[in-house]
Amino acid sequence: MLSLTCPNCGITADETDLHCDGQAHITRHGAGSNDDDLETYLFMRNNPKGVHFERWRHVYGCGKWFHAARCTMTLEVFGTYSAQTFEPPKALINKIKKKRPEFEGFVK
Amino acid sequence: MSSVTALNGATSNGIINVADAGLMGMITLRGDLASAGMAKAVKAATGSPMPAMRQITTGKSGAAAWMSSDELLLMVDYADADAVVAKISKSLGAAHHLAVNVSDARAVFNLPGDQIRDVLAKGSPADMSNDAFPIGEVRRTRIGQLAVAFWFTDAQNAKLVCFRSVGGHIMRWLENASEIGSEVGFH
Ligand SMILES: [Zn+2]
C-alpha cells in the first residue's frame, strides 16, 4: 500500500485516491524541435532501481497536481512537493542522500 | 416544470439511514480564495467566512466548503442559486473567477446514524477517524470508483454529495453498505 501526502490539501491519501503521471521534471519538446529531442521527450525515461521523482494528481480529492520522491523498489516515500517547480527541493535531495548513500542525485 | 432530485425522495433504513436531502442550491465558485473580493462575495452569498483548507463554514443564508486551493462549493437555498450566482459575478466583476449553479448536476444525501464512519469506510480509503476527519472538515474522496464529498454536521449526521448521474448507484451502494447485520464496530 502506498500513501502520499498531497501538499495542496494536506491529506495523506491512499494510492487509489491518486493518479500517477510518470516521470517528473521532463523537458517538453514540441513542434519545431529536432527528432532526437522529440524522441527523448516522448519516449526516453529514467528507470533506476530505487529513487524516482514523479508527477501525481490528487484525482479523487482536491484535483491538484504535485510531485513525489519515492523508491519504486521498497515503496519508501521520501517526500512530496509543489508541482510549480522545475526540480526537487535541495532539502529533499539531501534527505534522500542521507538515507541512500548510493543515490547519485537528481538526474533530469 | 417543477424540479426533482436525482433520488426522488428515496430513503433506506439500516445501520445508518440514507435519505435524499432534497433540493439544495449548490454553486461552484473558483478563483483566488486569498483575495479580499472573494471573501466578500462568499460572505454576501452565504453569510459565512472564507473556509480554511478542508473546512466548511456556515452562515445565515448558507455554507461554504473548501474543495481545493482555488475552488469552493457554496450551498444556499435551491430557489436562490441563480440570483446568488448573479450577485457573486457582479461583486467579483473583472476579477478572474468562475461562478456557476450546479444544483441540478449533483445528488445530495443525508446520512443520520451513529455508524456513519464505519459505513463510509467500507467504500472509501479516507481516514475516517475522528482525529483525522473532525466535524467541520470536508473530505473529497471516492466511494467504490465514484467521486464523492462528505462531511459531518454533528456526531450523528453526515451529508454526502456526488454527481447526479451516479446518484442512483451511490444510493444503492449506501443501502447495501448499511444493511442490518453488517455492523463493523471499528470507529
Ligand atoms: Zn490534495
Side-chain angles (χ1 to χ4, degrees), chain A residues 5-11 13 18 58 61-64 66, chain B residues 66:
Chain A
T5 301
C6 171
N8 302 297
C9 70
I11 292 289
L18 304 165
H58 194 183
C62 69
K64 298 296 183 194
F66 61 93
Chain B
W66 191 94

Side-chain angles (χ1 to χ4, degrees), chain A:
Chain A
M1 192 181 116
L2 176 66
S3 38
L4 300 172
T5 301
C6 171
N8 302 297
C9 70
I11 292 289
T12 299
D14 182 72
E15 184 180 358
T16 58
D17 262 352
L18 304 165
H19 173 74
C20 182
D21 200 52
Q23 187 182 330
H25 309 300
I26 57 173
T27 303
R28 279 156 182 76
H29 294 282
S33 58
N34 67 49
D35 287 355
D36 285 350
D37 281 347
L38 188 63
E39 184 200 22
T40 304
Y41 163 50
L42 288 177
F43 304 115
M44 300 311 200
R45 296 293 180 266
N46 300 334
N47 192 20
K49 183 180 179 183
V51 181
H52 280 231
F53 297 90
E54 295 168 321
R55 304 170 71 224
W56 285 81
R57 185 172 171 239
H58 194 183
V59 63
Y60 279 107
C62 69
K64 298 296 183 194
W65 289 92
F66 61 93
H67 285 133
R70 67 183 183 104
C71 174
T72 52
M73 189 175 65
T74 64
L75 289 195
E76 179 179 5
V77 176
F78 302 109
T80 54
Y81 53 101
S82 165
Q84 280 72 39
T85 178
F86 293 108
E87 56 181 71
K90 287 274 173 314
L92 182 59
I93 298 284
N94 292 338
K95 182 180 164 190
I96 300 170
K97 276 185 175 158
K98 218 169 257 170
K99 289 185 163 187
R100 304 285 172 94
E102 77 284 3
F103 171 58
E104 78 277 26
F106 169 62
V107 179
K108 207 172 157 86

